[in-house]
């Protein structure tokens, strides 16, 4: 793994300031972004890009989310220590580490075999005790349910009912849901599960994610 030196730590503090200026106010989120070494999720030659507020390609046609998006989704998720969180779309593993740094018990699913094979060893090496799974996020992880929180980090065509079923009452799901009018865009939704199983729905603007695809594969 790449080292994490004072230069990296300095760049991270600058990124934290950028996120504060853009409106991220949850101190736990800002502290986690300040602690997790984002550069280890990129090839070493791209270290200059690691602490800019931009998404970046990570191979296999996928991207590591923009730090602002990670911060916003984490803030909307309202995570506190000890909560069980299910993430759909492990990708680079960065979002999972931010949540683990915040004290969540993270379960994360990736459908792309190449990415899973690359990210799992890195997450194991980072010692956050994140549980990584190769599988179809539409199905969730019934064996490990219920979850306090569910975070989807790919563009969902619909609200997956199996994930709603695996959410606790009063649990929160953050989901970038495809816009019916424009398939290239999504709306960031926060869904809160009521005792009768229905969902309270709040919208937090437009966003752009890679598509959530069905079944395990390498495409
Ligand atoms: N959270 C990631 C960014 C994810 S990009 C990070 O922090 O880097 C979206 C990821 O979702 C991609 O890796 C993609 O392969 C994955 N994905 C798409 N559909 C999926 C599904 N049905 N189940 C699990 N993962 C899926």
């Amino acid at each position: 793994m790449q080292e994490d030196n004072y230069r990296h730590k300095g760049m991270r503090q600058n990124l934290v300031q950028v996120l504060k200026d853009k409106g991220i106010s949850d101190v736990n989120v800002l502290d986690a972004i300040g602690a997790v070494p984002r550069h280890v999720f990129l090839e070493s030659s791209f270290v200059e890009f690691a602490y800019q507020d931009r998404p970046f390609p990570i191979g296999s046609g996928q991207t590591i989310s923009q730090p602002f998006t990670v911060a916003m989704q984490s803030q909307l998720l309202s995570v506190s220590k000890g909560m069980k969180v299910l993430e759909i779309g492990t990708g680079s593993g960065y979002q999972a580490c931010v949540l683990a740094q915040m004290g969540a018990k993270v379960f994360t699913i990736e459908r792309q075999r190449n990415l899973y094979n690359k990210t799992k060893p890195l997450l194991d090496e980072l010692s956050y005790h994140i549980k990584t799974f190769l599988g179809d996020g539409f199905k969730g992880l019934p064996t490990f349910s219920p979850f306090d929180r569910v975070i989807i980090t790919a563009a969902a065509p619909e609200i997956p009912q199996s994930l709603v079923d695996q959410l606790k009452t009063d649990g929160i799901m953050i989901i970038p849901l495809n816009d019916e009018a424009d398939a290239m865009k999504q709306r960031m939704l926060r869904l809160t599960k009521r005792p009768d199983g229905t969902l309270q729905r709040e919208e937090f603007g437009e966003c752009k994610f890679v598509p959530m695809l069905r079944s395990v594969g390498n495409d």
Side-chain angles (χ1 to χ4, degrees):
M1 195 171 48
Q2 300 169 57
E3 64 161 349
D4 184 30
N5 60 32
Y6 280 99
R7 194 168 145 259
H8 299 125
K9 287 179 181 138
M11 289 194 283
R12 263 202 311 279
Q13 289 318 311
N14 291 340
L15 173 63
V16 166
Q17 190 56 49
V18 167
L19 297 176
K20 268 191 195 168
D21 294 343
K22 289 186 178 178
I24 302 298
S25 55
D26 184 327
V27 176
N28 294 329
V29 172
L30 293 168
D31 284 352
I33 302 260
V36 177
R38 190 169 186 260
H39 62 282
V40 306
F41 299 88
L42 307 183
E43 303 291 332
S44 55
S45 48
F46 295 130
V47 64
E48 294 305 325
F49 296 93
Y51 296 108
Q52 295 179 11
D53 188 24
R54 295 207 241 162
F56 204 80
I58 51 168
S60 312
Q62 301 301 329
T63 53
I64 179 171
S65 299
Q66 183 177 353
F68 178 76
T69 306
V70 171
M72 189 173 80
Q73 284 197 294
S74 305
Q75 180 165 289
L76 290 173
L77 206 59
S78 321
V79 173
S80 37
K81 273 208 174 70
M83 279 186 173
K84 267 171 74 182
V85 178
L86 173 62
E87 180 195 31
I88 310 302
T90 313
S92 68
Y94 177 66
Q95 170 77 74
C97 288
V98 168
L99 295 171
Q101 179 72 38
M102 291 171 73
K105 291 182 204 140
V106 182
F107 297 74
T108 181
I109 312 179
E110 173 56 53
R111 68 169 285 280
Q112 232 183 60
R113 198 168 270 113
N114 293 339
L115 265 181
Y116 171 82
N117 288 338
K118 204 164 114 183
T119 301
K120 185 176 165 39
L122 176 63
L123 290 182
D124 290 345
E125 207 180 330
L126 284 165
S127 322
Y128 278 115
H129 306 296
I130 293 167
K131 296 190 176 54
T132 43
F133 299 83
L134 176 68
D136 181 354
F138 279 97
K139 298 188 178 134
L141 292 172
T143 327
F144 296 92
S145 70
F147 296 96
D148 297 283
R149 301 285 186 261
V150 174
I151 171 172
I152 302 182
T153 66
E158 75 214 9
I159 299 168
Q161 186 55 43
S162 47
L163 299 184
V164 175
D165 294 342
Q166 290 169 40
L167 191 60
K168 286 185 190 171
T169 296
D170 297 323
I172 292 173
M173 184 188 304
I174 305 299
I175 173 170
L177 189 66
N178 278 348
D179 191 323
E180 278 163 24
D182 180 351
M184 299 303 285
K185 278 189 207 153
Q186 300 95 45
R187 285 172 203 286
M188 188 68 83
L189 298 186
R190 176 162 66 191
L191 307 172
T192 308
K193 190 172 176 179
R194 299 193 187 98
D196 67 359
T198 60
L199 298 168
Q200 181 201 334
R201 176 180 172 138
E202 297 163 278
E203 281 199 25
F204 295 89
E206 274 178 11
C207 50
K208 204 162 184 286
F209 284 80
V210 297
M212 184 172 177
L213 302 174
R214 287 180 196 278
S215 74
V216 173
N218 274 323
D219 49 312

